[in-house]
Amino acid sequence: GFTPSTAVTGTTTYFVRQGNGPCISQPDSVTIIVKPSPVPPVITGTTVYCSGDTPAPFAVTGTGTILWYTTATGGTGSPTPLLASTAAAGITTYWATQTVLGCESLRGSITVQVIGTPAPPPVTGTTTYCQFFPYVAPSAAGTNILWYTSPTGGIGTTTVPTVNTDIAGTFAIYATQSDSGCRSARGPFTVTVNPQPMVPDVIDSPGNYCVGQPFLPFTIIYGAGVLWYTSAAGGVSSLGAPIITTATAGSDTVWVTQTLRGCESQRAPVIVTIHNNVTSGFTYTRKFGCKADTVVFTNTSGGTIQYLWDFGDEGTSIAANPTHVYPYQALDTVILTSMSEWCVGRDTQVIDLVHPLHAQFM
């Protein structure tokens, strides 16, 4: 058989005869047209991606019909343009041909490298604060760390953002790292600032004592996790409420806090005042009469502001130095109750108004 040459383009006619000896047939012919083979198309586009990036379509320079392949040889071409796969790190080659006048070119190629995107860097630090406590910046382990104050947008900084612990609430900052030009997603670091509790409501009833009066324990009206202190600042707290001595006059202050969610309130003062006792006393002068006797009372009490006299005959007075008339003779028990704002004293004396009557003539 005879194989026509396709080495060069053009039209060539080939002739053939058959026969034997002097008997040869007339020639027959066949014309072969060799068309020029189109050049492979030129493929351009992004050749380096980070994993997870959105790929851009390739650009193809060619005049014929483009077919795409995923292998260097074999397979069936597809007219649907290929997109680079960025799902995983690696190097992948994509091929395309162009077909002109029924002739398909060799395959042109483009090689795409996908670099693995690093994971967000691990961030360590204090995640829970009490309101008004000093803030300590966290740290991130990774390379080329950038910090953000929002999950998207904004400009990264190498300085760790500050959380204002004067404001209660939940706050997030974000960190990324990069490797080989690929930056990770933003990893959140959440900080919770618990509010400082209100000061507890603690009272002592009565809160004001006279010297020697038994002390009554403090009463917690409102508060949880109560701690007691002997000073407005510093010192060591106590779980048990202190006992105030009332042996001498003066003022004692204890401070109390409550703790909620691990946060302690400010200290609230509770004041206990011990007042001097009242001294109650009186003297009297009797003036005897025929039908009635008069007694003049002189108050000798100390530290008092109010008085109540019980004259023993159902008569009373609130005067400081009263005069009282007794209409009959008897032994009368007089009680003087002397009061300050907080303390009470009493003096009791028996007055003898029994006496003989003396008649006189003028």
Side-chain angles (χ1 to χ4, degrees):
F2 176 78
T3 302
S5 173
T6 59
V8 295
T9 61
T11 300
T12 305
T13 301
Y14 297 91
F15 300 90
V16 62
R17 293 180 178 184
Q18 67 175 338
N20 186 15
C23 296
I24 300 175
S25 68
Q26 292 294 317
D28 195 5
S29 65
V30 60
T31 300
I32 302 297
I33 300 173
V34 179
K35 300 176 182 178
S37 179
V39 297
V42 177
I43 308 172
T44 58
T46 302
T47 58
V48 178
Y49 287 97
C50 297
S51 59
D53 285 352
T54 300
F58 296 118
V60 181
T61 301
T63 59
T65 301
I66 304 299
L67 292 178
W68 294 89
Y69 295 86
T70 57
T71 57
T73 60
T76 302
S78 171
T80 302
L82 295 178
L83 284 176
S85 173
T86 62
I91 297 176
T92 305
T93 301
Y94 302 89
W95 291 268
T97 65
Q98 63 172 326
T99 301
V100 180
L101 300 175
C103 294
E104 187 177 8
S105 70
L106 296 176
R107 300 182 186 185
S109 66
I110 185 170
T111 298
V112 175
Q113 180 184 13
V114 178
I115 301 172
T117 299
V123 180
T124 57
T126 303
T127 58
T128 303
Y129 288 87
C130 294
Q131 193 175 13
F132 306 115
F133 270 52
Y135 174 72
V136 178
S139 60
T143 57
N144 302 314
I145 301 295
L146 288 180
W147 296 89
Y148 299 82
T149 57
S150 59
T152 60
I155 299 175
T157 175
T158 56
T159 302
V160 183
T162 298
V163 173
N164 184 2
T165 60
D166 290 349
I167 302 173
T170 300
F171 309 92
I173 60 177
Y174 304 84
T176 68
Q177 65 172 326
S178 67
D179 184 19
S180 301
C182 293
R183 183 156 293 279
S184 71
R186 301 183 189 185
F189 181 77
T190 301
V191 173
T192 299
V193 180
N194 289 323
Q196 185 181 65
M198 297 174 58
V199 295
D201 185 6
V202 177
I203 63 171
D204 178 75
S205 181
N208 289 274
Y209 293 85
C210 300
V211 170
Q213 181 181 348
F215 176 74
L216 298 178
F218 294 99
T219 300
I220 300 174
I221 304 299
Y222 166 80
V226 172
L227 295 176
W228 301 85
Y229 294 86
T230 58
S231 59
V236 179
S237 64
S238 171
L239 292 174
I243 302 299
I244 303 299
T245 178
T246 62
T248 58
S251 180
D252 281 327
T253 302
V254 297
W255 286 263
V256 63
T257 68
Q258 70 164 323
T259 300
L260 297 174
R261 288 180 290 184
C263 297
E264 189 176 8
S265 71
Q266 293 183 336
R267 300 184 188 184
V270 184
I271 301 173
V272 176
T273 303
I274 297 93
H275 302 272
N276 281 312
N277 284 323
V278 167
T279 59
S280 184
F282 64 91
T283 62
Y284 59 89
T285 301
R286 296 172 296 182
K287 296 182 179 180
F288 297 125
C290 293
K291 295 182 178 182
D293 297 322
T294 300
V295 178
V296 178
F297 294 94
T298 300
N299 198 328
T300 60
S301 301
T304 58
I305 58 174
Q306 288 181 300
Y307 307 97
L308 177 61
W309 295 84
D310 180 350
F311 297 119
D313 62 351
E314 299 183 355
T316 62
S317 176
I318 59 173
N321 299 287
T323 297
H324 185 67
V325 176
Y326 288 89
Y328 56 84
Q329 296 184 25
L331 292 174
D332 293 289
T333 300
V334 177
I335 302 173
L336 169 61
T337 302
S338 303
M339 296 166 283
S340 66
E341 184 178 1
W342 305 106
C343 301
V344 177
R346 288 182 176 85
D347 186 20
T348 301
Q349 299 184 43
V350 177
I351 299 177
D352 184 0
L353 295 176
V354 178
H355 59 87
L357 296 176
H358 298 281
Q360 293 183 350
F361 295 94
M362 298 299 293

